Amino acid sequence: MKIIVYGVRDDEKPFLKEWEAQNESVDVQIESVLLDADSVKLANGFDGVVAFQQKPYTAEILDQLGTFGTKVLSLRNVGVDNVDFTAANRNHIKVTNVPAYSPQAIAEFTVTQLMQLLRNTKVFNHKIVNGDLRWAPNIATELNQLTVGVFATGRIGRAAIQIYRGFGAKVIAYDIFKNPELDKEGIYVDTPEELYRQSDVISLHAPAVKENEHMLNDNTFAQMKDGVIILNPARGTLVDTDALIRALDSGKVGGAALDVYEDEVGVFNTDFGSFDKIPDARIKNLLERDNVLVTPHIAFYTKTAVKSMVNTSMDASRDVISTGESDKIVKN
Ligand code: COI
């Protein structure tokens, strides 16, 4: 059996080598290029393709894989919003993902960013490098005094809830699928509007589906408390970036931590050499604000998560090739 792995970073190589050593019957080819319409030709002759969610996996790519007889496309991450499932199905290519490589990685990062916003660390860093070591006027707010609204209570949302509660925050949540344990505790509000109305902090943990595209927009920001803090470690498309900028300008939104951005492809995880050369005016606008933290989709990026992403995706690819089955197959 032959598996080609696209977009392999140096930090993934040791885990891949370890997997290869434990799976001697599998012929693994490691490529640093991302899977796209050009590099897809490298997959000719391979049963399985393992890739990372960076570019769209379009009908053109999937039709080409179909002609190569590819049996499975395994993503080394959770989100599958970049895959054209109609084309995958028509080509009999199964798609697998890694549903839970480390929910804690994302939850821990989200709360870290919230704490930075609440304790004004970006402001103090700027003041300190300019020799200003005064306290005022940057007095902080304590998390234990706040209500955090968690939007979506899948694995990541639930891991975040645990941490928020550890800090003593009041947590409310909204999800169309209620978790039975959390439901018993009475954590859920009935509507997103109720969550917006009651929360001091909104923590987004929903996937990118059509229904929640730009769910945070001018209209929904208007329903929130003045000075609300927005945390988005989930998907850029959940937030209308122009509306967020307007809400930051007006003070409606008091702070934001964004680990994702709707136009992040080609911008995040790229070295532009200097701030001036970042080719995205909105990201620069956000980065320049003291009450906004922008990070380049790094919430997932821990040793625990990367190892799990590699092993789980490789296992899933191997299993689908040899048996046609894996509990990581995504039905769509
Ligand atoms: C995911 O697993 O879907 C993520 O958001 C991580 C990412 C860098 C692809």
Side-chain angles (χ1 to χ4, degrees):
M1 139 186 352
K2 292 177 77 179
I3 300 176
I4 182 166
V5 191
Y6 280 94
V8 176
R9 306 180 307 270
D10 285 348
D11 53 85
E12 295 178 295
K13 283 182 184 157
F15 302 125
L16 266 173
K17 293 280 168 212
E18 212 176 295
W19 190 90
E20 249 187 301
Q22 289 161 2
N23 291 271
E24 282 173 358
S25 61
V26 185
D27 187 352
V28 179
Q29 181 157 324
I30 294 177
E31 295 289 343
S32 56
V33 287
L34 299 174
L35 173 60
D36 61 22
D38 186 38
S39 65
V40 66
K41 57 181 178 288
L42 300 173
N44 198 356
F46 288 85
D47 311 290
V49 171
V50 176
F52 199 67
Q53 188 189 43
Q54 256 154 329
K55 294 197 165 181
Y57 299 138
T58 58
E60 185 188 359
I61 294 173
L62 289 153
D63 287 344
Q64 185 70 75
L65 291 177
T67 67
F68 298 157
T70 303
K71 294 191 175 77
V72 55
L73 169 64
S74 297
L75 300 187
R76 306 199 288 290
N77 58 277
V78 57
V80 290
D81 42 284
N82 62 329
V83 178
D84 183 330
F85 274 88
T86 311
N89 293 340
R90 132 173 116 234
N91 287 289
H92 309 289
I93 297 172
K94 296 205 166 119
V95 177
T96 68
N97 73 343
V98 186
Y101 47 80
S102 176
Q104 286 78 7
I106 294 148
E108 284 182 12
F109 186 79
T110 310
V111 183
T112 302
Q113 297 300 82
L114 173 60
M115 292 313 293
Q116 296 219 53
L117 288 170
L118 293 177
R119 304 311 296 251
N120 303 311
T121 57
K122 191 168 175 184
V123 185
F124 276 109
N125 287 341
H126 285 157
K127 282 172 51 163
I128 291 163
V129 294
N130 288 311
D132 180 354
L133 307 189
R134 289 171 301 174
W135 305 337
N138 308 104
I139 191 160
T141 306
E142 295 179 28
L143 179 49
N144 65 74
Q145 301 295 305
L146 301 180
T147 298
V148 180
V150 172
F151 193 100
T153 54
R155 293 180 183 88
I156 299 171
R158 295 202 300 277
I161 288 170
Q162 251 188 346
I163 306 177
Y164 290 133
R165 284 178 164 169
F167 275 92
K170 175 178 176 194
V171 184
I172 58 174
Y174 175 80
D175 201 319
I176 43 169
F177 305 108
K178 290 191 172 136
N179 174 273
E181 294 302 312
L182 290 176
D183 201 14
K184 269 191 233 145
E185 295 166 18
I187 197 175
Y188 289 107
V189 293
D190 293 333
T191 59
E193 292 70 29
E194 194 55 31
L195 191 90
Y196 300 149
R197 207 177 57 72
Q198 289 189 35
S199 304
D200 301 299
V201 175
I202 293 179
S203 191
L204 298 175
H205 302 286
V209 289
K210 221 170 160 350
E211 292 71 22
N212 57 26
E213 191 175 330
H214 283 184
M215 56 177 271
L216 297 198
N217 53 44
D218 287 317
N219 177 38
T220 50
F221 284 129
Q223 298 166 30
M224 296 176 193
K225 286 190 180 180
D226 291 342
V228 62
I229 292 179
I230 305 295
L231 308 174
N232 187 8
R235 281 293 179 266
T237 54
L238 303 182
V239 177
D240 174 344
T241 309
D242 292 324
L244 174 64
I245 289 173
R246 284 190 285 275
L248 283 160
D249 284 342
S250 72
K252 181 71 186 175
V253 170
L258 311 169
D259 189 49
V260 288
Y261 167 54
E262 51 187 323
D263 290 335
E264 70 181 57
V265 177
V267 179
F268 284 3
N269 202 14
T270 305
D271 182 5
F272 295 105
S274 73
F275 181 84
D276 291 344
K277 292 193 186 128
I278 299 174
D280 189 300
R282 293 193 303 186
I283 278 294
K284 283 159 93 166
N285 173 318
L286 291 164
L287 277 165
E288 278 175 327
R289 294 169 189 259
D290 269 347
N291 60 346
V292 178
L293 303 174
V294 178
T295 44
H297 210 140
I298 54 169
F300 84 99
Y301 194 47
T302 67
K303 291 172 193 154
T304 306
V306 171
K307 181 176 184 180
S308 167
M309 288 162 128
V310 167
N311 288 337
T312 312
S313 59
M314 294 301 290
D315 286 352
S317 182
R318 178 201 60 207
D319 293 350
V320 175
I321 296 164
S322 57
T323 68
E325 288 306 326
S326 158
D327 61 355
K328 302 299 178 297
I329 291 175
V330 182
K331 307 256 184 287
N332 200 302

